């Protein structure tokens, strides 16, 4: 690449952070940077073909495209679809979007010298794959992707239609039992799944604590930390062709006796023998822990070894909140004590040091669990938006299964709120296309390497349709993020999304049948939907009423819900879970929109992108007209505003919201503890990362740049 051209588009992009002599920002400079980037860097390296049939023939014959995907359709239709995509004349709204696609998603020749795809081509292959032979659905999906109404998750968007590929699944959740066979099988399964490109989370709650007996001999168990070290080394080894290390997380219930040592592994000054560097940590907190902290009481830590012997089932499969008094009173269960407030203080200190641990509010997640009769939600994933039931497996000494339980995989995609609202009269159709496409992902994935995950997936076909670009939509419509109107709109949008998602899954069930445990679910008797059946939902604020009218969004009535519930009772749902809001770190850049439901960190965000250094990312459709609505970003609005937005969505989301809390440099551990309590009281299922803004060096040329660079080590497979 000509260095002069490179300097030119980088310089144009950098202009977006500055004002001219009249006080106007150069936001349009980023669009000029895109044009120059495409002309200088991409178009000369894009392999040319005489026509579309020649291109498709080349890509199939040279093992780039999967002929099985294409063979589901008439060849003339495939050519027509590619032509339709080309005629759309797709352009990237931002330099970051263009760079993200061509550096991370576009198919290249094996020698990495030429590009074989444009964004439109990749969109076509996704539409054809997700359409699964249905030409009309494929055409609709292409429209939704090109218009940026729908964006498949990174593993799906990256791998769809490729001959040589990873899996389409973002991440996996595995539970471990208290025996060496389960631990060994968990490690080997993690290696297999990492090899295929997914992030893996494992629940350690059932492992006996340090000092517990082995074969009746006391003080023999080493506890959970050595298992964490084994897992960390395994994920480091599974480096996915050297592109990045495998991504792993471990979850532990806070009433496990090893909890403080578990947390200490992330301390900056931890002994190297126990220090965990790349493995992510998550904690599972039941309601009773908050009650004990409120009363300033000590909390009991219960031996999982003793609990399983007394209850006949693992510790993760009982409710610590419900059984706390019985556990305390049982002299045959060993218990130790620590201050509940000290626990929360330790969690807050670690959040300041590392951003970890993730938090799963166990009882909140299980309260909305539609499969209570099947099992409990005991953990989450690497981005804390998945909340599904895991059930136990059992093994013989040679690690073969004697009982295959059910573990979890994440089949994800996200709607772009602003773009969906622009097409609001077609809201139902857009959601239906998304659910149908995601359902195909759940049915097309080859998970034979992980039998428990495969069983869970085939039995549940659970999906995680989410949304992004909330702040972009709010700013475009002159609504500040930290307002009642913002919460009101979020509530209404997800209310509509839930209705149409359940409706789409019900239509699917009429074709393919209900998921395996539907009859045991709260969907089957209608109890899950009670909150929707008695009153028509309406916006609470005048501004949102205006938006509903402006965009012609039709709100489902209580009668609509009652009719839907009757249909669900009769023919079921194809999917055990439907909604989950992921962080969308990668695909929001690809789509040039604001991430997930969170506020932007700055009107012009700063990213570190390899050899290019700093790349500036203007917020969605930012202009002089709406700039003020981006000025108050995630750090400025404070954690309560972020929690209020997430809680409004959580009312309608059957799984969880990937919520990152942003705290200023003035924040204290007390402030963080207040945020945990507020999120808990608002009924959220989880908290993802905590980010603390660092002080900016005085005299810095770029006033906020050093504080806002987004270089946190996050799991891209789960950021989707």
């Amino acid at each position: 690449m000509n260095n002069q051209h490179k300097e030119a588009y980088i310089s144009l992009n950098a202009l977006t952070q500055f004002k001219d002599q009249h006080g106007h920002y150069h936001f349009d400079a980023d669009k000029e940077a895109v044009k120059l980037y495409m002309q200088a860097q991409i178009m000369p390296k894009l392999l040319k073909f005489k026509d579309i049939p020649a291109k498709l023939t080349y890509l199939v014959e040279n093992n780039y495209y999967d002929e099985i995907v294409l063979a589901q359709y008439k060849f003339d239709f495939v050519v027509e679809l590619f032509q339709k995509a080309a005629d759309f004349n797709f352009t990237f709204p931002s330099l970051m979007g263009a760079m993200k696609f061509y550096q991370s998603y576009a198919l290249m020749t094996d020698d990495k010298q030429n590009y074989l795809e444009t964004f439109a081509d990749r969109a076509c292959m996704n539409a054809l794959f997700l359409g699964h032979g249905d030409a009309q659905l494929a055409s609709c999906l292409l429209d939704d992707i090109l218009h940026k109404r729908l964006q498949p998750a990174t593993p799906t968007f990256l791998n769809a239609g490729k001959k040589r590929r990873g899996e389409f699944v973002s991440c996996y959740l595995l539970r471990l039992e208290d025996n060496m066979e389960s631990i060994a099988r968990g490690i080997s399964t993690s290696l297999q799944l990492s090899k295929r490109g997914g992030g893996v989370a494992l629940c350690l709650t059932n492992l006996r604590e340090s000092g517990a007996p082995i074969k009746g001999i006391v003080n023999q168990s080493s506890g959970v930390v050595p298992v964490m070290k084994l897992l960390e080394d395994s994920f480091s080894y599974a480096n996915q062709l050297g592109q990045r290390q495998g991504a792993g997380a471990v979850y532990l219930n806070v009433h496990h006796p090893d909890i403080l040592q578990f947390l200490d592994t992330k301390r900056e000054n931890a002994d190297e023998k126990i220090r965990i560097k790349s493995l992510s940590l998550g904690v599972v907190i039941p309601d009773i822990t908050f009650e004990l902290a409120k009363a300033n009481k000590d909390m009991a830590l219960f031996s999982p070894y003793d609990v399983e012997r007394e209850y006949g089932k693992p510790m993760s499969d009982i409710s610590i909140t419900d059984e706390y008094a019985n556990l305390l009173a049982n002299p045959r269960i060993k218990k130790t004590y620590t201050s509940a407030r000290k626990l929360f203080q330790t969690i807050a200190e670690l959040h300041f040091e590392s951003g970890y641990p993730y938090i799963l509010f166990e009882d909140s997640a299980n309260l909305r669990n539609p499969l209570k009769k099947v099992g409990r939600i005991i953990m989450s994933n690497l981005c804390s938006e998945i909340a599904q039931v895991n059930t136990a497996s059992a093994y013989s000494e040679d690690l073969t299964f004697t009982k295959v339980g059910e573990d979890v995989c994440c089949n994800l995609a996200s709607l772009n709120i602003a773009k969906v609202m622009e097409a609001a009269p077609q809201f139902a159709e857009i959601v239906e296309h998304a659910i149908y496409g995601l359902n195909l992902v759940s049915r097309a994935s080859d998970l034979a390497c992980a039998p428990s995950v495969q069983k869970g997936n085939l039995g549940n076909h659970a999906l995680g349709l989410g949304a992004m670009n909330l702040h972009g939509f709010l700013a475009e419509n002159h609504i500040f993020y930290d307002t009642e109107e913002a919460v009101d709109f979020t509530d209404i949008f997800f209310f509509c999304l839930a209705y149409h998602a359940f409706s789409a899954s019900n239509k699917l069930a009429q074709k393919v049948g209900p998921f395996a445990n539907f009859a045991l679910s709260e969907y089957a008797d209608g109890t899950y939907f009670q909150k929707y059946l008695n009153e028509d939902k309406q916006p609470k604020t005048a501004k949102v009423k205006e938006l509903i009218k402006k965009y012609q969004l039709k709100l489902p009535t209580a009668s609509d819900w009652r009719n839907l519930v009757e249909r669900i009772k009769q023919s079921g749902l194809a999917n055990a879970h439907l909604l989950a809001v992921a962080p969308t770190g990668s695909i929001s850049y690809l789509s040039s929109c604001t991430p997930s439901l969170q506020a932007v960190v700055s009107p012009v965000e700063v990213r570190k992108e390899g050899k290019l250094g700093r790349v500036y990312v203007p917020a969605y459709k930012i202009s002089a007209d709406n700039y003020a609505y981006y000025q108050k970003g995630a750090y400025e609005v404070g954690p309560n505003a972020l929690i209020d937005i997430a809680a409004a969505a959580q009312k309608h989301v059957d799984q969880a919201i990937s919520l990152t809390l942003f705290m200023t440099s003035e924040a204290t551990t007390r402030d963080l503890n207040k945020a945990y309590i507020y999120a808990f009281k608002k009924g959220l299922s989880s908290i993802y990362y905590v980010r603390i803004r660092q002080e900016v060096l005085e005299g810095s040329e770029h006033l906020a740049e050093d504080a806002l660079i987004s270089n946190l080590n996050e799991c891209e497979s789960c950021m989707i």
Side-chain angles (χ1 to χ4, degrees):
M1 177 175 50
N2 186 301
N3 284 334
Q4 184 178 356
H5 284 146
K6 175 182 175 181
E7 291 174 3
Y9 73 74
I10 291 296
S11 297
L12 280 168
N13 171 255
L15 272 179
T16 57
Q17 65 174 320
F18 297 116
K19 295 179 182 178
D20 64 20
Q21 58 185 350
H22 304 294
H24 300 131
Y25 283 92
H26 299 275
F27 297 130
D28 286 341
D30 192 52
K31 294 180 175 59
E32 295 301 315
V34 174
K35 293 178 184 177
L36 193 54
Y37 172 74
M38 294 297 295
Q39 292 170 5
Q41 172 68 354
I42 304 304
M43 298 312 295
K45 298 172 68 175
L46 184 64
L47 209 60
K48 306 297 190 299
F49 299 90
K50 70 174 184 178
D51 55 26
I52 292 171
K55 178 174 184 172
L56 293 172
T57 300
Y58 173 88
L59 292 171
V60 169
E61 289 181 349
N62 288 277
N63 291 319
Y64 291 110
Y65 278 175
D66 187 348
E67 68 276 11
I68 295 176
V69 172
L70 300 178
Q72 297 176 106
Y73 305 88
K74 293 181 179 179
F75 187 69
D76 288 348
F77 171 76
V78 175
V79 174
E80 180 184 314
L81 198 72
F82 270 81
Q83 189 62 57
K84 175 183 176 181
D87 292 342
F88 185 81
N89 291 322
F90 177 89
T91 56
F92 289 97
S94 71
L95 177 64
M96 186 66 194
M99 291 173 58
K100 178 63 70 175
F101 176 74
Y102 284 104
Q103 291 181 7
S104 303
Y105 295 92
L107 185 63
M108 298 188 75
T109 53
D110 291 340
D111 61 8
K112 301 297 183 184
Q113 296 303 303
N114 293 100
Y115 293 104
L116 294 169
E117 288 182 319
T118 63
F119 182 91
D121 295 330
R122 187 93 298 266
C124 268
M125 291 308 291
N126 272 260
L128 291 167
F129 167 69
L130 298 173
H132 194 52
D134 184 332
Q136 183 177 358
L137 177 59
S139 186
C140 291
L141 284 165
L142 177 65
D143 283 340
D144 289 339
I145 295 172
L146 288 178
H147 284 92
K148 294 197 171 296
R149 296 187 284 257
L150 171 68
Q151 178 58 51
T154 287
T156 306
F157 193 64
L158 177 66
N159 291 307
K162 289 182 179 178
K163 183 73 170 181
R164 293 165 285 172
R165 60 169 178 81
E167 278 305 320
F168 313 111
V169 178
S170 295
C171 52
Y172 307 88
L173 290 75
L174 308 174
R175 62 178 277 170
L176 300 185
E177 309 309 322
D178 188 30
N179 56 75
M180 198 68 77
E181 291 77 18
S182 181
I183 293 168
R185 189 80 195 211
I187 292 170
S188 66
T189 301
S190 296
L191 284 168
Q192 288 293 330
L193 294 171
S194 292
K195 182 175 76 172
R196 288 157 175 81
V200 185
L202 302 99
C203 180
L204 307 184
T205 296
N206 297 329
L207 303 189
R208 69 190 69 188
E209 73 278 15
S210 177
I214 296 177
K215 295 183 177 180
I217 304 173
V218 298
N219 297 322
Q220 296 300 302
S221 172
S222 300
V224 302
V225 173
V227 177
M228 295 164 66
K229 298 293 283 186
L230 287 170
L231 286 166
E232 179 165 64
D233 289 342
S234 299
F235 287 118
S236 297
Y237 179 73
N239 66 1
Q240 298 165 26
L241 298 177
Q243 295 175 4
R244 64 170 185 260
Q245 289 188 348
V250 286
Y251 278 80
L252 190 70
N253 192 293
V254 294
H255 289 269
H256 190 289
D258 289 350
I259 185 61
L260 294 177
Q261 189 179 14
F262 174 85
L263 294 171
D264 282 345
T265 63
K266 275 293 182 185
R267 289 202 180 271
E268 291 177 351
N269 61 351
D271 188 295
E272 284 300 316
K273 292 180 180 178
I274 69 162
R275 189 179 180 198
I276 295 295
K277 299 176 182 177
S278 59
L279 193 67
S280 301
L281 304 190
V283 293
V284 180
I285 307 180
D287 287 1
I288 186 65
T289 320
F290 283 96
E291 294 171 19
L292 293 168
K294 183 178 180 180
N296 197 19
K297 293 183 177 180
D298 283 350
M299 57 184 282
L301 311 178
F302 303 106
S303 164
Y305 175 77
D306 292 341
V307 169
E308 185 163 3
R309 289 192 305 163
E310 286 296 304
Y311 279 79
K313 55 185 176 181
M315 181 170 165
S316 66
D317 291 343
I318 68 171
S319 168
I320 298 295
T321 297
D322 292 346
E323 291 295 320
Y324 190 77
N326 294 329
L327 290 162
L328 272 182
N330 191 332
R332 292 180 298 277
I333 296 177
K334 182 181 178 182
K335 51 195 74 74
T336 53
Y337 295 88
T338 189
S339 164
R341 290 189 177 180
K342 177 185 175 183
L343 171 76
F344 283 105
Q345 176 70 15
T346 300
I347 291 172
E349 289 170 359
L350 282 178
H351 274 146
F352 273 93
E353 289 185 24
S354 66
Y356 297 106
Y358 311 144
I359 295 174
L360 176 72
F361 300 113
E362 181 183 38
D363 292 309
S364 298
N366 277 288
L367 185 64
R368 60 177 61 89
N369 173 16
L371 293 168
K372 295 180 180 68
K373 293 179 182 178
V374 177
R376 292 178 51 76
I377 295 166
I378 63 171
M379 62 182 298
S380 188
N381 64 320
L382 275 86
C383 294
S384 73
E385 82 276 15
I386 298 302
Q388 298 177 27
V389 171
N390 294 69
T391 61
S393 296
Y395 310 90
S396 60
E397 289 186 350
D398 65 358
L399 305 189
T400 56
F401 283 86
T402 58
K403 174 190 172 185
V404 181
E406 291 190 4
D407 282 314
V408 175
C409 66
C410 317
N411 306 305
L412 304 173
S414 291
L415 299 174
N416 182 324
I417 292 172
K419 296 299 185 181
V420 170
M421 288 300 293
E422 288 174 8
Q426 288 80 49
F427 198 114
E429 290 82 358
I430 295 167
V431 175
E432 185 173 295
H433 303 155
I435 294 296
Y436 278 39
L438 267 181
N439 179 71
L440 186 276
V441 174
S442 79
R443 294 170 192 269
S445 297
D446 179 6
L447 301 172
C449 69
S452 60
V453 175
Q454 179 165 264
K455 182 180 178 182
N457 182 53
L458 292 177
N460 294 312
H461 295 295
L463 314 180
L465 180 62
M468 57 186 178
N469 205 19
L470 174 66
H471 197 176
F473 176 81
L474 296 175
E476 188 180 18
N477 287 278
H478 291 187
I479 298 174
F480 287 103
Y481 187 92
D482 57 340
T483 60
E484 183 185 0
E485 288 82 2
V487 174
D488 192 21
F489 172 76
T490 305
D491 185 12
I492 290 294
F493 182 88
F494 278 89
F495 168 77
C496 293
L497 175 56
Y499 175 82
H500 292 301
F502 281 111
S503 179
S505 187
N506 174 247
K507 288 181 181 179
L508 265 174
Q510 295 170 31
K511 299 178 181 179
V512 301
F515 69 89
N517 284 318
F518 172 76
L520 296 175
S521 74
E522 292 181 352
Y523 306 133
D525 61 10
T527 55
Y528 181 86
F529 304 104
Q530 283 302 311
K531 60 188 173 183
Y532 298 120
L533 304 184
N534 299 318
E535 185 179 353
D536 289 345
K537 189 173 186 64
Q538 293 295 326
K540 297 177 181 178
T541 60
K543 179 68 174 179
V544 176
K545 289 177 182 176
E546 292 174 9
L547 290 180
I548 299 304
K549 184 177 181 180
K550 171 185 173 182
Y551 287 99
Q552 302 176 55
L553 177 63
K554 184 179 183 297
L555 303 185
T557 64
S559 176
D560 292 331
W561 274 103
R562 289 193 292 270
N563 291 334
L564 173 58
V565 171
E566 287 305 311
R567 294 196 299 274
I568 290 172
K569 288 179 179 179
Q570 292 171 13
S571 50
L573 293 169
N575 317 96
H577 295 274
L578 291 167
L579 303 178
V581 181
T584 74
S586 294
I587 63 169
S588 59
Y589 291 121
L590 179 65
S591 299
S592 303
C593 70
T594 64
S596 190
L597 306 185
Q598 72 184 45
V600 298
V601 296
S602 174
V604 180
E605 187 187 355
V606 189
R607 290 281 298 179
K608 281 184 177 178
E609 288 296 316
K611 296 178 181 179
L612 291 172
R614 289 172 170 82
V615 176
Y616 298 88
V617 188
Y620 175 77
K621 288 189 176 180
I622 192 169
S623 66
D625 183 52
N626 62 34
Y627 181 83
Y629 298 90
Y630 285 119
Q631 266 188 303
K632 208 171 181 184
Y635 291 104
E636 288 75 27
V637 299
N640 283 12
L642 298 165
I643 291 167
D644 286 340
I645 290 288
Q650 183 72 84
K651 290 191 295 183
H652 312 291
V653 171
D654 59 275
Q655 296 186 74
I657 314 289
S658 186
L659 170 67
T660 297
L661 298 181
F662 294 80
M663 311 291 287
T664 66
S665 55
E666 291 80 27
T668 64
T669 54
R670 180 180 175 83
D671 295 323
L672 261 179
N673 273 294
K674 287 180 179 178
Y676 308 150
I677 294 167
Y678 190 63
F680 164 69
K681 288 182 175 179
K682 294 290 285 188
L684 290 180
S685 290
S686 65
I687 294 175
Y688 182 34
Y689 274 109
V690 172
R691 290 187 178 183
I692 311 296
R693 181 164 61 185
Q694 302 301 317
E695 290 284 359
V696 181
L697 295 176
E698 187 176 351
S700 172
E701 291 183 12
H702 306 292
L703 182 60
E705 185 172 314
D706 294 330
L708 297 177
I709 289 177
S710 299
N711 59 356
L712 190 62
N713 181 25
E714 296 174 307
C715 168
E716 290 194 5
S717 64
C718 285
M719 284 170 62
I720 74 168

